[in-house]
Amino acid sequence: MQTAAIVMAAGAGTRMKSKKPKVAHEVLGKPMVQWVLDAASDAGAERLVAVVGHEREQVIPLVEDRAEIVVQPERLGTANAVDVCRDVLADFDGSVLVLSGDCPLITPDTLRRLVSERERTGAAAVVLTMKLPDPTGYGRIVRDADGALERIVEQKDGTPEELAIDECNSGFYCFDAKRLFWALQNVGCDNAQGEFYLTDVIELCAKKGFGAIGVATNDPDECRGANSRAQLAEATKIAQRRINAQHMANGVSMMDPDQVWIEPGVEIARDVVLYPQVFLSGATKIGEDSVIGPNTRLADTVVGERSRVDETVAIEAVIDNDVDCGPRAYLRPGAHLCDGSKAGTHVEIKKSTVGKGSKVPHLSYIGDTTIGEGVNIGAGSITCNYDGKHKHPTTIGDRAFIGSDTMMVAPVSIGAGSIIGAASCITRDVEPDALALTRPEQVQIAGWAKKKREELGID
Ligand code: UD1
Ligand code: CA
């Protein structure tokens, strides 16, 4: 049987106090609505429909590559949010998951369970329920004397007896598509909020004998919504723990998992060690036996095997095998450290390749540069790649030795095996195996310093 998912993402989210709509807020780098769509897709939903409304111009770009979009013109209630999908799903016959775009922690496993329970029992409606110590605000699950699901009553409509029920509606459902849209035609808005309640579908299906059942979650955390910044932080914490637990189960060590933040798309091989204050984001990948951190942020960066990356910020960089990076290195987009190379302390590298075994150990800026193999760049050396308008390239051949404090004024090419004297300003190409240096004659005046001290009256 086919599965579709409708994700309600039309809400305003005033409690966020934000320019952005609620579902656009990110949990570990991924907008909440994408977490929900991805969970539905991982659970096997072939069709994804996002219902947008409030500030939809900000929501549509986040969902259009993965979902069909339906606009809910007016926020008339959750039943209306689903009903606006009637035309898009007119030809659909199967199970429909209905999810809230602001509940990013729902798992594919649970959604699969809702679908399989519906298919197994043939019920028209399956509701994910949860027991909460304080159910205030949630719809309550009303069961008959035999424990069969009868209806859901909202907080604002409940009698004191109903409000004493601790089993709640999590807001996640799986319906039979045809019966869902049949029931929605019969939902009214005669209730305390004057809204069309999706929850009324349950009673309609139960009364008609189409079957409505509740499936309990064993982890209410996965039904948490993020309506405020504080709840967003709580959701992020839960997502962090889940992701870290998964990596640890796969053989990654973390000294303090509370201080390691890994976005959902990151790949980490076994026997990697992550020290505290590590942030791994985007399409970052780390190979076996590499050690990362402390204090390191890697974004869209690929690290090979056995590399050491200490106190580093790297963005769209590539670090190969057996590389020694940091402490306090800054790798900007296009930086590529080849096998066995080094980028040391206070070194910034942009759009440059550091060849195999080459070293940039201290206090350097390397930009738009191709460094060959076995090169040593002395402390404080800099490629002057920018003339105020354009960027120019530098090439440094294999085994070249660049003395400390060399300025390489690009465009310039330094030949293989050459040596550059310390403190040179290189403005012309250097031939292979040559010595190049620019250095004024050293001046020395005997006794001058002593005389000066005497003049000033200091020892
Ligand atoms: C809903 C349920 C309640 C449940 C709770 C769980 C109803 C009537 N009640 O209540 O039983 O315990 O969720 O969190 O469904 N939305 C739209 N368009 C609308 C209305 C809502 O897209 O016209 C979206 C919201 O942005 C939100 C979701 O639907 O993502 C739920 O709506 P909300 O108003 O928050 O429902 P609750 O009152 O929390
Ligand atoms: Ca809500």
Side-chain angles (χ1 to χ4, degrees):
M1 203 184 276
Q2 282 224 311
T3 305
I6 295 173
V7 176
M8 297 182 287
T14 44
R15 276 190 282 158
M16 283 286 182
K17 307 255 169 71
S18 175
K19 301 184 286 299
K20 282 202 289 195
K22 177 165 61 175
V23 297
H25 283 265
E26 292 176 359
V27 168
L28 292 178
K30 180 154 96 170
M32 290 201 275
V33 65
Q34 290 182 1
W35 280 89
V36 180
L37 286 166
D38 289 350
S41 154
D42 290 349
E46 293 98 0
R47 288 190 61 184
L48 302 176
V49 181
V51 180
V52 300
H54 183 79
E55 286 172 333
R56 56 181 172 271
E57 63 295 340
Q58 289 188 61
V59 181
I60 290 170
L62 303 177
V63 300
E64 62 189 349
D65 64 332
R66 50 191 102 190
E68 299 165 70
I69 291 162
V70 174
V71 175
Q72 184 190 22
E74 270 184 284
R75 212 177 173 283
L76 302 176
T78 44
N80 179 252
V82 175
D83 199 38
V84 294
C85 303
R86 177 182 295 276
D87 289 347
V88 183
L89 293 175
D91 59 351
F92 182 82
D93 196 4
S95 293
V96 181
L97 289 161
V98 176
L99 318 168
S100 289
D102 60 353
C103 298
L105 299 169
I106 191 70
T107 59
D109 276 354
T110 297
L111 296 181
R112 252 182 249 119
R113 229 174 98 221
L114 292 182
V115 174
S116 65
E117 279 301 285
R118 204 198 72 70
E119 288 172 1
R120 189 179 65 78
T121 60
V126 179
V127 188
L128 185 68
T129 72
M130 54 187 183
K131 289 210 165 159
L132 295 177
D134 176 14
T136 310
Y138 287 92
R140 307 298 206 287
I141 302 293
V142 182
R143 295 179 180 272
D144 68 14
D146 302 327
L149 178 54
E150 228 171 34
R151 61 199 164 84
I152 298 174
V153 60
E154 291 304 295
Q155 172 82 29
K156 290 188 176 139
D157 301 286
T159 62
E161 297 75 46
E162 287 165 341
L163 297 181
I165 299 171
D166 65 350
E167 192 184 10
C168 307
N169 171 19
S170 69
F172 291 93
Y173 317 83
C174 181
F175 298 102
D176 168 77
K178 297 290 174 207
R179 295 200 155 151
L180 168 65
F181 288 109
W182 162 81
L184 285 170
Q185 286 177 312
N186 298 298
V187 171
C189 59
D190 182 18
N191 54 52
Q193 303 185 78
E195 279 185 15
F196 294 90
Y197 290 165
L198 179 60
T199 45
D200 286 357
V201 167
I202 305 301
E203 187 176 4
L204 286 160
C205 287
K207 275 201 179 137
K208 192 83 178 173
F210 289 161
I213 57 171
V215 167
T217 173
N218 30 32
D219 177 16
D221 271 352
E222 71 177 325
C223 305
R224 278 185 191 234
N227 298 294
S228 62
R229 304 280 179 164
Q231 288 176 353
L232 188 66
E234 286 165 16
T236 301
K237 195 75 208 166
I238 294 166
Q240 175 203 27
R241 290 204 173 120
R242 255 194 217 166
I243 289 174
N244 289 356
Q246 189 63 56
H247 286 295
M248 289 190 281
N250 292 342
V252 175
S253 276
M254 300 179 194
M255 185 181 284
D256 181 356
D258 265 338
Q259 298 193 62
V260 172
W261 305 83
I262 305 174
E263 288 187 3
V266 172
E267 293 174 29
I268 311 177
R270 63 184 177 169
D271 291 319
V272 165
V273 176
L274 303 176
Y275 282 112
Q277 291 303 331
V278 165
F279 298 77
L280 306 176
S281 67
T284 292
K285 280 188 196 172
I286 300 172
E288 276 188 28
D289 299 314
S290 285
V291 178
I292 313 295
N295 300 333
T296 292
R297 177 160 71 93
L298 306 180
D300 301 309
T301 288
V302 177
V303 180
E305 300 180 356
R306 298 172 304 280
S307 285
R308 181 72 186 93
V309 183
D310 185 6
E311 280 203 63
T312 291
V313 173
I315 299 161
E316 293 170 39
V318 176
I319 297 169
D320 290 341
N321 305 311
D322 304 295
V323 169
D324 187 359
C325 187
R328 297 185 202 109
Y330 180 23
L331 306 182
R332 292 168 49 202
H336 180 186
L337 305 182
C338 298
D339 290 354
S341 64
K342 177 183 173 90
T345 308
H346 297 290
V347 166
E348 176 176 342
I349 298 180
K350 183 216 78 169
K351 212 173 161 189
S352 296
T353 298
V354 179
K356 284 186 186 165
S358 291
K359 295 185 163 53
V360 190
H362 337 268
L363 303 156
S364 285
Y365 170 65
I366 302 294
D368 304 296
T369 299
T370 307
I371 298 177
E373 299 181 7
V375 169
N376 190 79
I377 308 276
S381 292
I382 281 171
T383 56
C384 311
N385 60 331
Y386 185 50
D387 60 15
K389 184 151 189 201
H390 301 107
K391 302 283 167 71
H392 300 283
T394 300
T395 55
I396 302 174
D398 295 346
R399 297 176 324 282
F401 182 94
I402 311 296
S404 295
D405 195 30
T406 295
M407 301 293 120
M408 290 161 273
V409 181
V412 72
S413 172
I414 293 170
S418 63
I419 295 179
I420 311 294
S424 293
C425 180
I426 299 299
T427 52
R428 283 182 285 132
D429 289 356
V430 176
E431 277 174 29
D433 298 319
L435 166 70
L437 77 170
T438 64
R439 188 180 288 172
E441 280 291 304
Q442 184 166 327
V443 175
Q444 184 163 301
I445 303 169
W448 190 94
K450 188 164 181 261
K451 216 175 100 201
K452 185 71 182 174
R453 278 195 300 275
E454 283 164 5
E455 229 174 82
L456 295 171
I458 52 179
D459 294 331

